[in-house]
């Protein structure tokens, strides 16, 4: 391990201490290591240019004139990227959708940006994971399976 000294302003330190308390970290070093790992993973996912799978999560106002039709039309135009969608009614006007996507990272990002930019979409996030086509999932060998 390496010892690193950093300087944080009071506001950022207060936020970090809140996270430490909420998640039950034993010390600041553990929390900072975890946050660094998360940041590294997020940056890697954002710069992925190859094949990936992803989850697009967004909320929208279904009462917004024409929005459900525009969203449906966008999904039909990008049908090759979408594997499955779950739709949840949050309240009278708000809906949540989670869509599993599969394709080139830049195409997934472009599609998500298009959805999130629609007037009436209130929140959107795309999470991607690199996945090369034809990769076999890890199958336990006999020793692992019998343990």
């Amino acid at each position: 391990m390496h010892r690193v000294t950093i300087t944080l302003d009071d506001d950022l330190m207060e936020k970090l201490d809140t996270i430490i308390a909420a998640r039950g970290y034993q010390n600041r070093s553990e929390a900072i290591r975890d946050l660094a790992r998360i940041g590294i993973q997020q940056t890697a996912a954002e710069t992925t240019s190859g094949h990936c799978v992803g989850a697009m999560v967004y909320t929208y106002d279904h009462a917004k004139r024409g929005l459900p039709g525009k969203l449906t039309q966008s999904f039909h135009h990008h049908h090759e990227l979408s594997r499955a969608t779950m739709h949840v009614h949050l309240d009278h006007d708000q809906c949540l959708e989670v869509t599993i996507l599969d394709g080139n990272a830049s195409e997934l990002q472009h599609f998500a940006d298009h959805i999130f930019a629609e007037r009436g979409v209130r929140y959107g996030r795309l999470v991607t994971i690199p996945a090369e086509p034809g990769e076999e999932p890890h199958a336990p060998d006999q020793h692992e399976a019998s343990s």
Side-chain angles (χ1 to χ4, degrees), residues 2 30 42-43 57-58 62-63 70 115 124-127 143:
H2 296 275
E30 287 179 16
Q42 183 177 352
T43 300
V57 181
Y58 60 98
H62 83 261
K70 287 180 183 178
I115 295 294
R125 180 171 229 165
L126 174 66
V127 178
H143 176 71

Side-chain angles (χ1 to χ4, degrees), residues 29-93:
S29 291
E30 287 179 16
I32 291 171
R33 278 192 294 271
D34 275 358
L35 292 170
R37 282 186 202 101
I38 291 167
I40 290 167
Q41 289 172 346
Q42 183 177 352
T43 300
E46 289 170 357
T47 59
T48 298
S49 60
H51 183 257
C52 67
V53 292
M56 178 171 56
V57 181
Y58 60 98
T59 61
Y60 68 95
D61 180 354
H62 83 261
K64 185 75 176 172
R65 185 177 188 154
L67 180 59
K70 287 180 183 178
L71 294 174
T72 299
Q73 188 175 35
S74 290
F75 274 89
H76 281 282
H77 283 120
H78 296 91
H79 65 88
E80 74 284 357
L81 300 177
S82 178
R83 289 281 187 98
T85 298
M86 178 175 63
H87 179 95
V88 178
H89 299 277
L90 298 176
D91 59 32
H92 185 267
D93 294 325

Side-chain angles (χ1 to χ4, degrees), residues 88-144:
V88 178
H89 299 277
L90 298 176
D91 59 32
H92 185 267
D93 294 325
Q94 290 299 301
C95 295
L96 166 78
E97 288 197 350
V98 179
T99 300
I100 305 303
L101 302 172
D102 185 356
N104 180 279
S106 61
E107 292 172 351
L108 299 189
Q109 188 64 59
H110 176 76
F111 179 41
D113 290 343
H114 180 76
I115 295 294
F116 302 157
E118 288 288 349
R119 179 172 280 160
V121 173
R122 296 207 171 129
Y123 173 83
R125 180 171 229 165
L126 174 66
V127 178
T128 57
I129 301 168
E132 291 304 316
E135 257 187 3
E136 292 295 320
H138 172 71
D141 62 26
Q142 286 185 332
H143 176 71
E144 289 176 297

